[in-house]
């Protein structure tokens, strides 16, 4: 057992039918055999114990070596919940409040304007920390994913936001218009970058040092960070891509995220990307998720208070402002760095047989997790393929969504949901 994993228990003792849970093996291997995915790693936990952990496919298609149990993955947007926990740890110290104006911490934003019909107009309300944490602060993004003004996204892309340091990014962002008035539009993108700078300013520490001291170290997440030590880089799962014939090939870019293209796999970049820059393992992220499930603590390490976890995993979006990507989502809200399944029967792309109030997120390369407080279930899965995480956001991907398959199989196997191990 990895020193960073949860204690194992038999699936039956945790309320799962072992035979039904083993359907995961057939499903995941079937996708590997079909050539849809190069490698898949999945862990299922309940009541704080590990019910199942399996790896499928190849660490390297070129060599045929099997996927390592300790494989390291680029977790992309699963960085966002980590940044939210860091922010909440500072919230607990009274360093910021939901209704504080963001300019209290980022005075560079004092002269922000909104672009409307080609004109710049003043803000009609202050941008608050609540807006920033709920991803409705008004910023555009680099790609037109749910954009209301693609030309503005082109301006953001042309600004070369990530070529310097995190502080340089804020100065560049302050010169760009907002897409919408604060609190009026959920727009996936740059809010966590601003949060990362606020963490550094409030703590007086580099972002990576703060995360290590306050989260990764206490939780025993020994393989999580913005870079990978040279002697451990052989553990990094290569990122693959499907071509127009659905044939897998090594992706040209092996950086943590496309905006860091040119950064070698495992190399720590100058810019620490709060939206999508971390590497991690299934075992490490399972411990992070279990800490949230256990209301802020794990193995004696208290990271957050229960009330902070509850706030972070509550729907913070203003009334009438839906979570949206290419389209508005029904049945889903957004907390701090996580989506919230408000109505499982109607939750677009994230519903089904899952408890109301479950929170989740994923990464564009195919990593995912969810925590289901109703059934005390956690699932963490990891893949490394270009755009394999699209399904979570309702964007097309040409092969089956293994995250959705895992959800159906896990809950189909939970035949004794009242079991308390």
């Amino acid at each position: 057992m990895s020193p960073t994993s949860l204690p194992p228990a038999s699936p039956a003792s945790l309320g799962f039918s072992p035979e039904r849970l083993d359907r995961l093996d057939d499903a995941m291997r079937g996708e590997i055999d079909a050539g849809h995915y190069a490698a898949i790693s999945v862990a299922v936990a309940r009541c704080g114990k590990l019910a199942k952990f399996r790896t499928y496919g190849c660490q390297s298609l070129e060599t045929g070596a099997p996927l390592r149990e300790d494989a390291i993955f680029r977790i992309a947007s699963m960085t966002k919940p980590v940044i939210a926990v860091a922010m909440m740890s500072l919230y607990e110290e009274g360093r910021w409040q939901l209704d504080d104006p963001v300019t209290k911490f980022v005075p560079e934003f004092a002269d922000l304007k909104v672009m409307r019909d080609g004109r710049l107009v003043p803000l009609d309300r202050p941008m608050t920390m609540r807006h920033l944490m709920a991803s409705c602060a008004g910023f555009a993004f680099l790609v037109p994913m749910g954009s209301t003004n693609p030309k503005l996204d082109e301006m953001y892309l042309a600004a070369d936001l990530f070529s310097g340091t995190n502080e340089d990014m804020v100065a560049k962002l302050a010169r760009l218009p907002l897409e919408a008035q604060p609190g009026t539009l959920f727009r996936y993108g740059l809010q966590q970058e601003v949060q990362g700078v606020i963490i550094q300013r409030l703590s007086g520490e580099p972002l990576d040092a703060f995360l290590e001291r306050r989260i990764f170290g206490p939780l025993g997440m020994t393989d999580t960070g913005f870079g990978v030590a040279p002697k451990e880089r052989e553990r990094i799962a290569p990122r693959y891509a499907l071509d127009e014939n659905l044939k897998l090939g090594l992706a040209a870019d092996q950086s943590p995220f496309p905006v860091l293209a040119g950064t070698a796999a495992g190399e720590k970049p100058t810019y620490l990307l709060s939206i999508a820059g971390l590497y991690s393992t299934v075992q490490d992220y399972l411990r992070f998720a279990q800490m949230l499930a256990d209301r802020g603590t794990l193995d004696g390490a208290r990271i957050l208070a229960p009330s902070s976890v509850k706030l972070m995993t509550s729907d913070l979006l203003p009334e009438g402002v839906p979570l949206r990507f290419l389209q508005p989502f029904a049945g889903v809200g957004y907390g701090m760095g996580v989506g919230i399944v408000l109505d499982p029967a109607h939750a677009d792309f994230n519903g089904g047989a899952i408890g109301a109030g479950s929170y989740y997120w994923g990464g564009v390369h195919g990593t995912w997790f969810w925590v289901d407080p109703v059934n005390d279930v956690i699932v963490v899965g990891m893949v490394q393929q270009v755009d394999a995480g699209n399904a979570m956001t309702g964007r097309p991907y040409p092969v089956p969504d293994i995250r959705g398959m895992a959800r159906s199989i896990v809950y189909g196997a939970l035949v004794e949901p009242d079991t308390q191990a």
Side-chain angles (χ1 to χ4, degrees):
M1 180 178 69
S2 166
T4 59
S5 68
L6 300 180
S10 68
S13 71
L14 299 175
F16 291 109
S17 159
E19 296 79 16
R20 284 171 166 258
L21 195 58
D22 283 346
R23 291 172 177 170
L24 266 176
D25 299 335
D26 290 339
M28 299 299 111
R29 287 177 185 143
E31 290 303 304
I32 296 287
D33 292 345
H36 294 160
Y37 294 90
I40 305 168
S41 186
V42 183
V44 181
R46 188 161 192 252
C47 306
K49 296 180 180 178
L50 186 65
K52 188 177 183 71
F53 171 60
R54 294 287 187 276
T55 60
Y56 314 91
C58 294
Q59 179 82 12
S60 166
L61 290 179
E62 291 70 34
T63 67
L67 180 63
R68 299 174 58 135
E69 290 191 353
D70 64 351
I72 295 172
F73 296 81
R74 306 157 191 80
I75 63 171
S77 288
M78 279 166 61
T79 302
K80 292 178 171 71
V82 175
I83 296 297
V85 168
M87 285 294 295
M88 286 308 298
S89 71
L90 293 167
Y91 173 84
E92 291 185 347
E93 296 174 1
R95 310 293 289 276
W96 64 273
Q97 300 297 316
L98 287 171
D99 298 313
D100 282 341
V102 175
T103 51
K104 179 177 179 180
F105 312 103
V106 190
E108 296 93 326
F109 289 170
D111 296 321
L112 287 175
K113 300 289 191 297
V114 178
M115 180 173 282
R116 179 184 297 161
D117 300 325
R119 297 183 301 110
L120 295 179
V121 301
L123 271 62
D124 63 10
R125 71 198 76 183
M127 179 193 294
T128 68
M129 293 298 290
R130 183 190 303 272
H131 299 144
L132 189 70
M133 298 306 295
S135 286
C136 59
F139 296 107
F141 194 30
L142 314 177
V143 293
M145 186 171 67
S147 176
T148 63
N149 187 348
K151 289 186 178 180
L152 191 55
D153 295 307
E154 294 174 9
M155 290 176 61
Y156 275 57
L157 183 61
D160 198 19
L161 294 173
F162 306 111
S163 60
T165 66
N166 299 63
E167 290 286 346
D168 294 333
M169 182 279 303
V170 162
K172 296 174 184 177
L173 193 59
R175 296 192 289 268
L176 292 168
L178 297 179
E179 178 181 8
Q181 293 287 351
T184 65
L185 177 74
F186 176 92
R187 186 72 201 279
Y188 192 68
L190 296 173
Q191 275 84 183
Q192 285 79 18
E193 291 308 318
V194 180
Q195 293 170 32
V197 170
I198 291 173
I199 290 167
Q200 293 190 144
R201 291 181 177 183
L202 290 180
S203 69
E205 293 182 77
L207 181 61
D208 55 344
F210 185 84
L211 296 182
E212 176 63 32
R213 183 172 66 86
R214 298 291 285 265
I215 301 174
F216 304 150
L219 290 178
M221 296 172 66
T222 57
D223 290 316
T224 303
F226 289 102
V228 178
K231 64 184 177 64
E232 302 294 345
R233 289 179 187 172
E234 65 181 17
R235 295 166 53 195
I236 300 173
R239 184 163 62 238
Y240 290 92
L242 290 166
D243 66 16
E244 63 275 9
N245 298 313
L246 301 187
K247 182 177 176 57
L248 286 169
L250 195 65
D253 174 25
Q254 293 292 320
S255 69
F257 197 69
V259 299
L260 300 175
T263 304
E267 179 184 355
K268 183 178 173 181
T270 301
Y271 190 96
L272 303 181
L273 194 67
S274 296
I275 57 172
L278 287 175
Y279 293 86
S280 192
T281 62
V282 168
Q283 294 93 333
D284 271 15
Y285 212 90
L286 186 61
R287 288 185 64 80
F288 176 77
Q290 188 65 56
M291 175 274 295
L292 293 175
D294 286 347
R295 304 169 73 210
T297 187
L298 185 68
D299 293 344
R302 170 64 68 184
I303 307 300
L304 293 177
S307 57
S308 297
V309 176
K310 183 177 180 181
L311 177 60
M312 174 183 160
T313 59
S314 297
D315 183 21
L316 295 180
L317 288 174
E319 186 175 356
V321 176
L323 185 146
R324 66 193 300 275
F325 290 93
L326 298 183
Q327 65 188 62
F329 280 17
V332 180
Y334 191 80
M336 298 179 184
V338 291
I340 318 292
V341 180
L342 302 173
D343 181 351
H346 298 95
D348 289 334
F349 309 109
N350 296 281
I354 189 171
S358 294
Y359 46 95
Y360 69 92
W361 210 243
V364 70
H365 313 315
T367 58
W368 80 86
F369 88 104
W370 75 79
V371 176
D372 179 347
V374 172
N375 294 295
D376 203 358
V377 167
I378 299 171
V379 176
V380 177
M382 295 197 178
V383 170
Q384 294 286 264
Q385 287 183 205
V386 174
D387 291 337
N390 279 9
M392 182 191 77
T393 60
R395 292 175 292 161
Y397 193 62
V399 297
D401 172 21
I402 54 174
R403 178 192 59 114
M405 295 167 63
R407 184 169 57 237
S408 296
I409 291 169
V410 166
Y411 287 98
L414 186 57
V415 293
E416 296 182 37
D418 296 329
T419 297
Q420 296 296 319

